[in-house]
Every structure is written in structure tokens, then in C-alpha cells.
Amino acid sequence: MTKVFIDGSAGTTGLRIFDRLSTRKDIELITLSDDLRKDPAARKKAINSADIAFLCLPDVAAKESVSLVENDNTVIIDTSTAHRTNEDFAYGFAELSDEFMSKLKVSKRIAVPGCHASGFIALVYPLVKAGVLSEDAFVSAFSVTGYSGGGKQMIADYEGENRAEALSSPRQYGIAQSHKHIPEMVKFTGLNNAPVFSPVVADFYSGMQVTVPLNIKELKDGTTFEDIKNIYRNLYTTSIVKYVDFLDDGGFVASNKLSGADNMAITVCGNDERVILVALYDNLGKGASGAAIECMNISLGLEPTFGLDIKEV
């Protein structure tokens, strides 16, 4: 029986991980009462008693939790931004390459990718690795997410009886180009330049669509529309991340099409001059708790899909 502690189980991601694991017969959940869940001594004891400790906390608190570990056995799976570019942490996106998978299998410190970053990296990393897109390229990205990505307060704002009129319209944010996911987007794609990133939150609960537009003339000479498709087609072949030829319904791609699912679909749209690369998934699934549970499964030597909700597209 694997002992699991969720530090920060009252937040959106923590609650979803708790709900998912509470029905698994191979997991014993270590819990703290409400009056102890922020107590350092109680958290320290729980973390060191666990085989797996999920950190679903603000960055400062996540760093504090890591400092509480006093043994060589507890595996830390951090869902915060705190350790995503830390060299001591394996980056939790196994489908990118055998190297990423291998590190996840043996690491005691794992960082779960950010929701927006997951789609961007899934689209850009393979092109840079294949030499099709230059490391010095200037790339932009557009991302639409459901409001659950903003946590409890944003959910309350959208679902409250007296919600603001502005919430019925998609809202762009991160407008100062300092979004917290940008550092990992640069590090794990191999790009030398930060992307121009435009995230948008819209009036639906969960789901995410990340789009990267490219002019084929900016790619390696001779690269074709079909070449780009084949890069993804050959790499993304699992049920968790899979390339598909078509994601649209009558020419429209709904950002909440994979709401509630833990998998990601990748596609390429456009023509031999201009393309848009699309990653479709759930900000709470492959973008958060689903990815965290996948990381746990890999660390425990289980099938990555164990306990995940996979939706066909």
C-alpha cells in the first residue's frame, strides 16, 4: 500500500487529486485535520511518513515543504511553479522523449508542468529538437482556458449570483508579458527567446486550447506542411498525448472539448504557407491533477494511464 500525503489538499488541484486517489485501493491517504493542515510540525511528520507527497501550494510554501523532508525515500511531486526550472527536479512530461520518461522513473523530486506551458512545450519542443524550428526563433502563442484554472476565488467569481458583467466575455491577462509559465516554456523547448504569450480566460469551467502560429518560411528550408504533421505523428502515439489529423467540428475547435479528461490531443491546421499548431486538453487534467497522478504512476512503476480518464477525440 502506497502512503500518500497531499500538502495543500484544500485548493482546486489538491482537492481533485484527493478525490481521484480516495477511490484507489492501492493508496493510503495521510490526512490532517483543518486545524493542523498549516501546522509545520504536523506537515513535516506527514511528509516524512509518505511514500509520495503532492505539493499543491503557493510557491513559497512549496519550497518550505521540500525543506521539511528528512529522508531519502519520500517522492515529492510539486504542482506549483516553485521548482519547474530547478535542475534537481525532473520535469513531469514523460511523452516528450525517452529522456524525460527515464528521469521521472528514478527521481525523488518531480515538478508538474504548468497548464499553459504543457501545450506550448508539447508543440514547440519537437520542432526545435528535429531542427525544423531554430532555437533563435521568435515564437508567439495564444491560449484559451476555462476559469477553473484561476482557483477557488476565480471559480467563485464566475459562479456567484452577482458576478460581474465583464465575466461573460473572454478576458486576456498576463498582458505585461511576465506570466509565471514563461520560464519553463523557454527552458523545455530549447528556445533562446521568450515567446510572446497571450493567455485568455473564458466563461467555461475547464478545458484548454494552446495555439502556436507559424509561417513555414520561418522554418528550415524545404519543410512542408506534411513534414510538420509527421513530426508529431511519430512522437505522440500514446493515449495520453496523441496526434490526430482533425480536431475541429465543422471548422471550429472548442477549447472545452476535452474537459474532464486527462489526455491531450495535438493537431496541425493550415496549408503549405501558414500553419497553426494546436494542443487541446483540460487545464485541470493533463494541465494539472491528471499530469500529477501520471507522474506518481510512473514513479511507482505503474502504467502511466492507471486511474486516468482518457477521452477519445
Side-chain angles (χ1 to χ4, degrees), residues 9 33 41 50 59 79 129 144 154 173 203 211 276 287 307:
S9 60
S33 59
D59 290 1
T79 69
K129 185 179 180 181
V144 181
M154 185 172 285
Y173 66 104
D203 189 12
T211 301
I276 54 173

Side-chain angles (χ1 to χ4, degrees), residues 116 173-174 176-183 185 197 199:
H116 296 287
Y173 66 104
Q177 290 301 302
S178 56
H179 195 283
K180 63 181 182 179
H181 292 178
I182 290 178
M185 292 162 77
F197 179 47

